[in-house]
Amino acid sequence: MPKKALVIGSGIAGIASSIRLAHAGFSVEVFEANSYPGGKLSEIEIKGYRFDAGPSLFTLPEQVEELFRLVGKNPKAHFDYEKLEVACHYFWEDGKQIKAWADINRFAEEVETKLGEPAQHVREALKSSAYIYDHLAPLFMHRSLHQVSTWTNTQAMKSYLKMGKLGIFSTMHEANAKRFSNPKLVQLFNRYATYNGSDPYQTPATLNIIPHLEFNIGAYFPKKGMHDITQSLYKLGLDLGAKFHFNAKVDEIVVEKGKAIGIKVQEKTFPADVVVNNMDMVNAYKTILRKQKQPKKLLEQPKSSSALIFYWGVKKEFKELGLHNILFSEDYKTEFEHIFKKGSIYEDPTVYINITSTQKPDDAPEGCMNWFTMINVPNNQGQDWDQLIAEARKNIIKKVNRVLKTDLEPLIEVEEILEPRTIESKTSSSNGALYGNSSNNRFAAFLRHANYSSDIKNLYFCGGSVHPGGGIPLSLLSAKIMMGFVSE
């Protein structure tokens, strides 16, 4: 009889785990509390509009392809994507606009033309980003920080000698302000802190690793939408024999004599040789591992930011908007102070608008657009969210009207809202924090749970709240997919 592996949660990391385990010869069952797979990477359909509900930026597509190749399948036959010509459209209230072209030289020249910042500064910034990636990706993305071999291998030794160049000792904002003279370009590069729910004025400059993925390697779009990542991998898991149980909330991970031996679901016990937890680490210890020793230091770490998302069906096409769009706040520092210090929402928030109908026209009726409209907000600490959401909605619409010179309210014909409380209830994310613990200090990467339990044998962890991959943004989905199953 093959060994039995049970996976808790069918987020991307959980699905990837099921694929790797099934390929390794395990009999695999996945238990999901929701009625659908994908976790945050799900979709919403409302009156002719389709929205990718969660992550919207796709990089390192080879990490998806790897899972198909692992089992001897041609990725293109099951999952297809295209590289974006423009990574993002940027807007400021004084009328300035920048297109972040995938062609680095073209982007650099656009910055010089529009902002007066020497093109060479952009090239140098992206070269520095690649440098950080080349030295830290093998350490932080491909290995567990909780094993001695990670710190004693040749690659690690080389990285130790270059810590100053890797951004360990300064903040992201300090590094960007030193490199660029134009505040708008500083703001543009500071925004990458939000990719894992952090504050550029606190998080280490190491996170300047992120632009490398978006520019030097490239940003992509799945031809069937982001949800196709979920659907194609879910189908692959099924094809390999993994069994998925939906509406099956796990009540407990059963532990005997220091070993995980199964799970309990609705009073029924399912035995296992291996248990993989894809649930948010903090909530897992508070619920399904509540009887076990608690890693208090990890559980008490500050959480990342959350999101407030309005899914709007808009009865107009805006030709100046692309797939990814940013309408910047006039006071970025104050915006982050509200999020991380005041636990509130600034009256002039930075607005992100993702419009997949620009790439996939059938996501909206003809002549219309599907706006995934998001702002960064604090995680749930008991605020009066109904009032905050109502005020934020007004402020977002006012900002869109000012920047795009329009009257948005009468154009919105459908609306659905996702906010910290519902993010927590739908995805078991502690406090509705999208990325687990925050990365607002230089030691944050080391204050994440390992991808295995040091106290409980045969218990493993995957997903955005743990290592490896835990310190990499959720929007960079490869970090989740790459996790899959990492042996102790």
Side-chain angles (χ1 to χ4, degrees):
M1 293 290 291
K3 288 187 175 182
K4 189 78 173 181
L6 303 181
V7 180
I8 303 169
S10 67
I12 292 298
I15 298 174
S17 296
S18 73
I19 292 168
R20 293 184 184 277
L21 287 163
H23 177 68
F26 285 82
S27 172
V28 182
E29 294 189 51
V30 182
F31 294 80
E32 169 58 53
N34 289 311
S35 60
Y36 52 85
K40 297 181 181 74
L41 190 54
S42 57
E43 69 176 0
I44 299 172
E45 294 189 28
I46 322 170
K47 298 179 180 178
Y49 292 89
R50 191 200 72 86
F51 302 87
D52 286 314
S56 57
L57 176 66
F58 183 40
T59 64
L60 299 179
E62 61 267 24
Q63 297 295 342
V64 180
E65 295 178 323
E66 179 195 348
L67 291 169
F68 288 98
R69 292 196 179 98
L70 177 70
V71 300
K73 292 183 180 290
N74 177 9
K76 290 293 184 183
H78 304 275
F79 174 75
D80 202 5
Y81 58 89
E82 58 190 359
K83 186 174 183 177
L84 299 179
E85 185 179 15
V86 178
C88 191
H89 295 68
Y90 294 99
F91 299 82
W92 287 269
E93 295 217 20
D94 63 2
K96 294 286 187 183
Q97 298 182 21
I98 291 287
K99 287 185 179 180
W101 297 96
D103 182 317
I104 294 173
N105 288 324
R106 190 174 181 182
F107 173 48
E109 290 165 4
E110 169 119 342
V111 167
E112 184 168 305
T113 300
K114 300 285 184 65
L115 301 181
E117 184 82 38
Q120 185 61 23
H121 290 181
V122 174
R123 297 188 188 100
E124 290 172 353
L126 295 176
K127 184 178 180 180
S128 174
S129 182
Y131 182 90
I132 297 172
Y133 183 88
D134 290 342
H135 284 87
L136 292 187
L139 187 65
F140 286 86
M141 290 179 66
H142 304 298
R143 292 175 177 268
S144 171
L145 295 184
H146 303 83
Q147 298 193 23
V148 174
S149 60
T150 297
W151 303 101
T152 57
N153 69 80
T154 303
Q155 180 67 45
M157 295 300 179
K158 291 180 180 179
S159 296
Y160 296 152
L161 301 175
K162 300 176 174 64
M163 285 300 177
K165 294 183 179 180
L166 301 178
I168 302 294
F169 305 114
S170 62
T171 67
M172 174 181 275
H173 173 72
E174 288 169 346
N176 291 332
K178 184 177 180 180
R179 183 179 298 280
F180 304 117
S181 59
N182 190 299
K184 286 183 170 61
L185 195 58
V186 174
Q187 187 178 35
L188 191 157
F189 275 83
N190 277 355
R191 74 171 283 258
Y192 289 100
T194 67
Y195 281 33
N196 74 343
S198 301
D199 176 355
Y201 301 91
Q202 296 184 64
T203 199
T206 310
L207 282 191
N208 279 324
I209 190 176
I210 299 172
H212 171 70
L213 299 173
E214 188 168 302
F215 285 103
N216 297 327
I217 298 178
Y220 300 82
F221 180 74
K223 290 185 177 181
K224 295 181 182 179
M226 293 292 286
H227 189 239
D228 191 43
I229 299 172
T230 292
Q231 290 301 97
S232 61
L233 294 180
Y234 168 57
K235 185 177 185 302
L236 178 59
L238 291 174
D239 290 345
L240 293 173
K243 184 177 181 181
F244 288 76
H245 302 270
F246 297 105
N247 298 307
K249 184 178 180 180
V250 174
D251 299 311
E252 181 183 354
I253 295 176
V254 182
V255 179
E256 287 187 3
K257 297 179 180 180
K259 181 184 294 187
I261 63 168
I263 64 174
K264 284 186 178 179
V265 181
Q266 299 172 356
E267 301 304 318
K268 183 178 179 180
T269 298
F270 294 81
D273 297 289
V274 169
V275 176
V276 180
N277 174 63
N278 181 212
M279 184 179 177
D280 178 277
M281 179 272 297
V282 173
N283 275 353
Y285 274 101
K286 289 180 178 179
T287 56
I288 58 178
L289 287 167
R290 62 188 178 279
K291 296 179 182 178
Q292 307 307 315
K293 179 182 176 181
Q294 303 288 295
K296 292 183 179 180
K297 188 174 182 179
L298 298 183
L299 299 181
E300 293 171 357
Q301 290 301 307
K303 303 297 179 289
S304 77
S305 61
S306 186
L308 170 59
I309 305 170
F310 295 93
Y311 305 96
W312 285 333
V314 177
K315 298 184 294 182
K316 181 182 176 180
E317 288 185 312
F318 290 80
K319 300 300 183 183
E320 64 268 46
L321 298 178
L323 175 62
H324 302 294
N325 309 274
I326 292 286
L327 283 57
F328 274 120
S329 170
E330 290 289 278
D331 190 341
Y332 218 32
K333 187 172 184 179
T334 298
E335 180 181 7
F336 283 98
E337 287 175 350
H338 275 71
I339 295 171
F340 289 100
K341 296 180 180 179
K342 298 182 179 181
S344 187
I345 303 174
Y346 184 43
E347 63 184 6
D348 177 31
T350 295
V351 180
Y352 167 67
I353 306 172
N354 174 248
I355 309 172
T356 60
S357 60
T358 61
Q359 309 294 125
K360 186 173 175 290
D362 61 351
D363 278 355
E366 187 175 355
C368 303
M369 289 180 133
N370 62 334
W371 282 27
F372 168 111
T373 311
M374 187 196 88
I375 61 172
N376 296 299
V377 301
N379 56 60
N380 181 23
Q381 301 157 29
Q383 300 95 321
D384 184 347
W385 283 107
D386 293 336
Q387 180 180 346
L388 287 174
I389 291 167
E391 292 175 354
R393 186 182 187 278
K394 292 177 183 178
N395 289 331
I396 290 170
I397 290 175
K398 287 179 182 177
K399 186 165 193 73
V400 170
N401 289 345
R402 292 194 303 269
V403 174
L404 299 184
K405 305 293 189 284
T406 189
D407 183 9
L408 182 62
E409 182 71 57
L411 300 176
I412 300 173
E413 65 174 348
V414 299
E415 176 179 274
E416 190 157 326
I417 301 173
L418 185 66
E419 39 95 351
R421 295 171 299 183
T422 49
I423 289 172
E424 182 167 21
S425 63
K426 289 182 177 181
T427 67
S428 294
S429 300
S430 179
N431 300 96
L434 288 179
Y435 312 95
N437 293 344
S438 79
S439 297
N440 284 340
N441 69 71
R442 70 186 62 171
F443 304 110
F446 309 99
L447 296 174
R448 285 178 178 262
H449 199 289
N451 65 333
Y452 60 93
S453 173
S454 58
D455 298 314
I456 304 170
K457 292 182 178 180
N458 300 335
L459 174 60
Y460 297 86
F461 293 79
C462 64
S465 63
V466 300
H467 257 298
I472 302 299
L474 173 64
S475 55
L476 309 179
L477 282 165
S478 55
K480 300 283 192 158
I481 296 162
M482 185 173 61
M483 282 276 311
F485 179 75
V486 184
S487 65
E488 183 177 345

